[in-house]
Every structure is written in structure tokens, then in C-alpha cells.
Amino acid sequence: MHSGKGDSHVVTHLDDRLPASADAEQDASRPLKVAYVMSRFPKLSETFVLGEILAVEEQDVEVELYPLLREQEEVVHPEAAALCERARFQPFLSLSILASQLHHLRRSPRRYTGALWALVRGTWRSPNFLVGGLGIFPKVAHAARLMEADRVAHVHCHFSNHPAVAGFVIQRLTGIPYSFTAHGSDLHVDRHMLREKVAEAAFVVPISEFNRNVILRECGEHVAEKLVVIHCGVDTDLFRQRDAAEPGSALTVICVGTLHEVKGQAYLVDACRLLTEEGVPVACTLVGDGRDRPALQRQIAAAGLEGRVTLLGRRTRAEVAELVLSADVLVAPSVPTARGKREGIPVALMEAMSGGVPVVASDISGIPELVEHEATGLLVPPRDARAIADALRRLHDDSSLRRRLGLAGREKVVREFDVRKSAAALARHFRAHARQAA
């Protein structure tokens, strides 16, 4: 189990080693132009990407968006809708994209064929990576040409799978340096080509010490200098410290996230059943949607919890903030799946703690770096409904514990998980490694 202090040490230590000369040179040509690459945009469940982009732009960085796919969702954050208007969405194939292939082939056939061969060689054992990589290659080559024309100085990719492959290809074709952030399942399920991506990246951002150690085990200690632990952060003004309130007739519990096995909502529903059977009044709201919704509906009905456990569906960032800040406790019952999926550090935990809401979370992955047991929240073993129920009973019965954990949680997030601090650290690294304008 790692502490947040370790994370802060890593970020500070690596910031101290940033090449000052590159930073000084880039200052003369502000604002710095950085291209962000992500799998899908705008994706409601990835508010951390949206929040980071907005905060990075406050650092005198001009952000260009290059999503690999356009996400079609009924509910969209208002801030994301504004960014969509300037995002560079591309089809898989078009005349312009074909023209860009010819451009690269004419200019440097060895670079173009070398990038394509490196992609095939690095992913051929993984059908998902191989097919996905070949599918996006033409549009990524086109994006590389656009970025070069726009004098993009650095490319940053969110997720270590297909977006990082895109950064790898762009760097091979144009020489524009790239970096990527490694979150959760993108790192833990399939690490094909991770060594190549890390080797050619200017730097890599694991969001936790846990992820940093995963990368070190996979790639070797020699890449340690490239690994910069920078937490995903939250807007501590939006999720502000709320006034402490006593629970009403029932303990109000909230869980925010995609309805998917990895989020572990089924164990929270079971914990609510146990509490109800034991006479502890509880009202639980699940915010989000996903493929597990029908199964959860059946589980709720079978347990007789209709009216006590509510599936609320998707909500905007502002609506989530209001719901979280009105709850007595937030639960993040994350679990590792049989396919290897696992969370990084759920942003919902940061949001609740930022608002002074006490939290209960699974003791896995990077979560203990945020939720320190009995200090900033309560940790429980994954897949343990009984442990979740016992933790919720404690919070129901002990108002002083709720207040203490809520205050300590807020302090932890403000100190180590504030999005503006994270964005400032990223901007420093972007400037240090950016390609200088010709």
C-alpha cells in the first residue's frame, strides 16, 4: 500500500530534473500548442479528461483535440459540448486522409512504412490492438500531417492503449514528441507494445504509484526516469466543502460510475440488502448507465429493494456534484474482473472527498493512495458485501467519524488531487519536452 506522500515525492523529484533550457526556450513562443488524443470524446464517464483539458488551458497552453472516435451520448457536459465544436474528428477514410498517406510516402517512405511495421510487429499477438491499430493508422497519419502544419509542439494521449499507439505513430512520422497517461484497465488488461510506447515517449504519466510499479515491472527499471506520477485531479471549487449534516431517517448512499462489473455495484446492492435486513435504514442511488443495468435491476427487485436502491442513469458534471454533496456517504466498491480489468483511482472518490463527504472504497490498485484507511476514508476488501455493510453501519452510527473522515478527505484532495495543481505539473513537462517552433 502506498501513500500520497510517495506520489508527491515522485512528481517534485522529476520536476526538479526538467531540462531548464527547453523550458526557457519555449517561454518565448507562448502559448504552447499541445494536441490531446483520446479514444472517444465527449465521454460522460471521463470527466477527468475534460477537467484536465480545461485546467491545462488555464496554464497558457493552447489545446487541440484529436479524438479517435466521436462518442454519441444523450447526456453531454456543457463544457464538453463547447470543446466538441473545435475538436478534429476524422472518419476512418476520406480523400483527405488518402492524400495524407501519399504525402508521408512521398516525403519519407521509410518513416511511413517503418511506423506501420512497428505497429504490426508490436501488436500482432493481440487481435484487439492489431485490428484497432491498423484501423486508426490512416486517420492518425492524417492527424500527424495536420498537427505538423499547425505547429503542434507536443502530443499528449489519454490511455496507454490505442491513444498511446497514435502518439507513437505521430512521433515516428513527424518527430513531434508525445507522452501518455496510464489510467486503469487500459494498462492492466493488455500491455502489448507498452515497452515500445514507453521507450519512444518523452515522458509517461502513471496516475498512481501502483501504476508506476506495473510499468516498471513490465518495462524495466531503466525507464524510471520517464515515469512522472501525476494524479488525475478534480475541481475543488465545484466540489466544495459542504456543511456537515446529520443523516435523516435513512443513511443516503451514492455510487457514481458506469454500470459495469469492474465498478462492483452488485456488492453495494447486496450490502444494502444486508443493512435492510438488519434494520439499518439506507437509501442508495447509483448514478451512471451501462451494460449491467438490467442485471442490477433484477438484483434490486429480487432483494425487495425497490424504493431503497435507485438507478438514476447518466447525469452532467454539475448534477453529479449536487447529488454527491447531498449524500451522507459515497461508496466505490471496485473489483478486479476475470479479464484483468481494474480501476485506477476512481474520480468519484476524489469528488466526494473534495466535498467533505466520507467514503468507503475497495482496497485495490491505486485507491489506497487516496483513501487511507481510518484516516481519509474506510477501505474494504473487494467483493465483500459484508464489509461494505459494516462500514456503512459505522458511518450511520458514528457522527464524529463521518465528520473526521470528511474533513481529512477534503484536505487530502486539496493537497494532492486538485486538478489545477495536476494541470500545472503537466504543463511544466509539456514545455520541457516540446518541439521548438521552426
Side-chain angles (χ1 to χ4, degrees):
M1 187 178 297
H2 300 282
S3 69
K5 292 180 181 178
D7 293 346
S8 299
H9 172 73
V10 172
V11 173
T12 303
H13 185 45
L14 288 176
D15 277 348
D16 289 344
R17 291 203 301 272
L18 289 173
S21 59
D23 204 5
E25 290 175 26
Q26 188 61 51
D27 282 343
S29 57
R30 285 189 161 192
L32 178 72
K33 186 174 286 191
V34 175
Y36 261 65
V37 178
M38 66 288 293
S39 295
R40 298 172 181 270
F41 192 85
K43 195 167 183 182
L44 195 68
S45 61
E46 294 176 2
T47 54
F48 50 88
V49 177
L50 172 62
E52 180 182 293
I53 290 170
L54 297 174
V56 164
E57 290 192 316
E58 293 177 2
Q59 299 291 320
D60 257 349
V61 175
E62 183 179 339
V63 175
E64 298 281 355
L65 273 68
Y66 284 84
L68 297 179
L69 294 171
R70 181 164 196 154
E71 185 76 354
Q72 302 294 339
E73 291 194 319
E74 294 179 5
V75 179
V76 177
H77 299 300
E79 305 92 334
L83 288 176
C84 275
E85 294 180 3
R86 66 178 216 247
R88 301 290 193 94
F89 294 106
Q90 300 292 339
F92 282 97
L93 205 57
S94 69
L95 289 177
S96 297
I97 289 173
L98 288 173
S100 289
Q101 314 312 301
L102 295 174
H103 165 82
H104 290 298
L105 282 168
R106 280 196 304 267
R107 188 177 71 170
S108 181
R110 292 185 63 181
R111 278 190 180 186
Y112 184 86
T113 56
L116 183 58
W117 171 241
L119 189 157
V120 172
R121 186 179 60 225
T123 62
W124 70 274
R125 292 179 183 272
S126 170
N128 174 50
F129 269 24
L130 177 59
V131 173
L134 291 176
I136 65 172
F137 185 87
K139 68 160 65 179
V140 169
H142 180 57
R145 185 185 180 190
L146 295 176
M147 290 177 193
E148 197 166 36
D150 287 344
R151 298 199 175 199
V152 166
H154 189 84
V155 176
H156 187 65
C157 310
H158 263 284
F159 301 106
S160 60
N161 43 25
H162 294 107
V165 167
F168 175 93
V169 170
I170 292 164
Q171 191 276 334
R172 282 289 186 98
L173 293 177
T174 66
I176 301 173
Y178 80 101
S179 54
F180 65 89
T181 297
H183 290 272
S185 296
D186 60 301
L187 176 65
H188 300 294
V189 173
D190 189 339
R191 290 192 283 275
H192 277 85
M193 207 177 167
L194 181 64
R195 293 183 183 184
E196 293 90 334
K197 287 179 283 194
V198 171
E200 299 208 16
F203 65 97
V204 177
V205 182
I207 55 94
S208 65
E209 283 284 356
F210 182 90
N211 280 5
R212 180 176 183 270
N213 290 329
V214 169
I215 296 172
L216 286 175
R217 286 195 299 271
E218 181 75 18
C219 302
E221 290 289 334
H222 66 282
V223 305
E225 294 274 329
K226 286 191 173 186
L227 306 185
V228 188
V229 175
I230 301 176
H231 297 303
C232 284
V234 295
D235 186 339
T236 55
D237 292 332
L238 177 63
F239 291 88
R240 64 203 176 280
Q241 175 69 54
R242 55 101 182 256
D243 296 329
E246 294 299 315
S249 58
L251 183 74
T252 58
V253 178
I254 192 166
C255 179
V256 180
T258 304
L259 303 184
H260 186 282
E261 178 190 1
V262 74
K263 298 290 188 178
Q265 290 101 339
Y267 298 95
L268 174 56
V269 172
D270 203 29
C272 291
R273 176 187 61 80
L274 293 172
L275 289 171
T276 300
E277 291 174 353
E278 294 162 7
V280 179
V282 60
C284 179
T285 300
L286 304 183
V287 180
D289 207 347
R291 67 186 189 192
D292 282 7
R293 186 184 185 101
L296 289 168
Q297 287 175 323
R298 291 193 295 271
Q299 182 185 4
I300 291 166
L305 292 174
E306 295 105 327
R308 294 183 183 273
V309 179
T310 304
L311 301 178
L312 200 57
R314 296 181 174 92
R315 290 295 185 270
T316 65
R317 189 164 70 143
E319 290 170 332
V320 169
E322 183 177 354
L323 289 164
V324 168
L325 294 174
S326 65
D328 295 320
V329 57
L330 179 135
V331 180
S334 312
V335 300
T337 72
R339 292 188 60 242
K341 284 182 175 288
R342 61 169 60 219
E343 298 239 68
I345 304 178
V347 174
L349 282 170
M350 304 173 203
E351 293 171 343
M353 292 168 66
S354 178
V357 179
V359 300
V360 176
S362 296
D363 187 3
I364 62 169
S365 303
I367 291 175
E369 298 172 39
L370 170 67
V371 183
E372 301 167 65
H373 188 51
E374 300 285 352
T376 62
L378 299 178
L379 290 173
V380 295
R383 303 184 188 280
D384 193 335
R386 178 74 267 169
I388 296 172
D390 290 345
L392 291 175
R393 178 189 280 272
R394 283 185 63 193
L395 291 169
H396 175 270
D397 295 343
D398 191 341
S399 59
S400 63
L401 176 63
R402 290 195 304 275
R403 285 193 295 271
R404 177 172 65 81
L405 294 180
L407 289 171
R410 166 74 181 179
E411 291 173 2
K412 175 81 170 182
V413 171
V414 169
R415 186 172 64 248
E416 299 177 28
F417 293 83
D418 185 283
V419 69
R420 292 177 181 85
K421 293 179 181 178
S422 299
L426 275 172
R428 288 195 295 272
H429 284 274
F430 293 159
R431 290 195 175 91
H433 296 283
R435 183 171 74 171
Q436 303 307 309

